[in-house]
Short mmCIF file of all heavy atoms in Angstrom, two decimals:
data_model
loop_
_atom_site.label_atom_id
_atom_site.label_comp_id
_atom_site.label_asym_id
_atom_site.label_seq_id
_atom_site.Cartn_x
_atom_site.Cartn_y
_atom_site.Cartn_z
N GLY A 55 116.80 112.54 113.82
CA GLY A 55 117.28 111.49 114.71
C GLY A 55 116.24 110.40 114.88
O GLY A 55 115.08 110.56 114.49
N SER A 56 116.67 109.32 115.47
CA SER A 56 115.76 108.21 115.73
C SER A 56 114.65 108.67 116.66
O SER A 56 114.91 109.36 117.64
CB SER A 56 116.55 107.06 116.35
OG SER A 56 115.84 105.89 116.20
N GLY A 57 113.43 108.33 116.34
CA GLY A 57 112.31 108.70 117.19
C GLY A 57 111.84 110.13 117.01
O GLY A 57 110.99 110.60 117.76
N SER A 58 112.37 110.83 116.02
CA SER A 58 111.96 112.22 115.84
C SER A 58 110.61 112.32 115.13
O SER A 58 110.05 113.40 115.01
CB SER A 58 113.02 112.99 115.05
OG SER A 58 113.27 112.35 113.82
N GLY A 59 110.09 111.21 114.62
CA GLY A 59 108.76 111.22 114.03
C GLY A 59 108.76 111.13 112.51
O GLY A 59 107.75 111.43 111.87
N LYS A 60 109.86 110.69 111.93
CA LYS A 60 109.95 110.64 110.47
C LYS A 60 108.97 109.61 109.89
O LYS A 60 108.22 109.90 108.96
CB LYS A 60 111.38 110.29 110.04
CG LYS A 60 112.44 111.22 110.60
CD LYS A 60 113.82 110.87 110.11
CE LYS A 60 114.31 109.49 110.52
NZ LYS A 60 114.48 109.32 111.98
N SER A 61 109.01 108.41 110.47
CA SER A 61 108.10 107.37 109.96
C SER A 61 106.65 107.79 110.19
O SER A 61 105.79 107.58 109.33
CB SER A 61 108.35 106.04 110.67
OG SER A 61 109.64 105.59 110.37
N THR A 62 106.39 108.39 111.33
CA THR A 62 105.04 108.86 111.63
C THR A 62 104.59 109.86 110.58
O THR A 62 103.46 109.81 110.09
CB THR A 62 105.01 109.49 113.03
OG1 THR A 62 105.53 108.55 113.96
CG2 THR A 62 103.61 109.88 113.43
N GLN A 105 109.64 101.07 106.30
CA GLN A 105 110.93 100.90 106.97
C GLN A 105 111.26 99.42 107.15
O GLN A 105 112.38 99.00 106.95
CB GLN A 105 110.89 101.62 108.33
CG GLN A 105 112.23 101.65 109.03
CD GLN A 105 112.26 102.68 110.15
OE1 GLN A 105 111.27 103.32 110.48
NE2 GLN A 105 113.42 102.86 110.74
N ASP A 182 110.75 104.95 103.24
CA ASP A 182 111.18 105.06 104.63
C ASP A 182 112.49 104.30 104.79
O ASP A 182 112.51 103.08 104.82
CB ASP A 182 110.11 104.49 105.57
CG ASP A 182 110.30 104.99 107.00
OD1 ASP A 182 111.38 105.55 107.28
OD2 ASP A 182 109.37 104.84 107.81
N GLU A 183 113.56 105.05 104.86
CA GLU A 183 114.91 104.51 105.00
C GLU A 183 115.16 103.38 104.01
O GLU A 183 115.37 102.23 104.41
CB GLU A 183 115.13 104.03 106.44
CG GLU A 183 114.74 105.11 107.43
CD GLU A 183 115.48 105.02 108.74
OE1 GLU A 183 116.33 104.15 108.88
OE2 GLU A 183 115.20 105.87 109.60
N VAL A 214 112.92 109.29 103.56
CA VAL A 214 113.43 109.40 104.92
C VAL A 214 114.75 108.67 104.95
O VAL A 214 114.86 107.54 104.47
CB VAL A 214 112.46 108.73 105.91
CG1 VAL A 214 113.13 108.55 107.27
CG2 VAL A 214 111.19 109.54 106.05
N HIS A 216 118.82 108.24 107.04
CA HIS A 216 119.83 108.58 108.05
C HIS A 216 121.16 108.87 107.38
O HIS A 216 122.03 109.49 107.97
CB HIS A 216 120.07 107.38 108.97
CG HIS A 216 119.07 107.24 110.06
ND1 HIS A 216 118.80 108.24 110.94
CD2 HIS A 216 118.31 106.20 110.43
CE1 HIS A 216 117.87 107.82 111.79
NE2 HIS A 216 117.56 106.59 111.49
MG1 LIG C 26 111.32 105.35 111.21
#
Side-chain angles (χ1 to χ4, degrees):
Chain A
S56 199
S58 56
K60 305 182 298 296
S61 296
T62 306
Q105 187 164 5
D182 199 346
E183 309 207 3
V214 167
H216 278 305

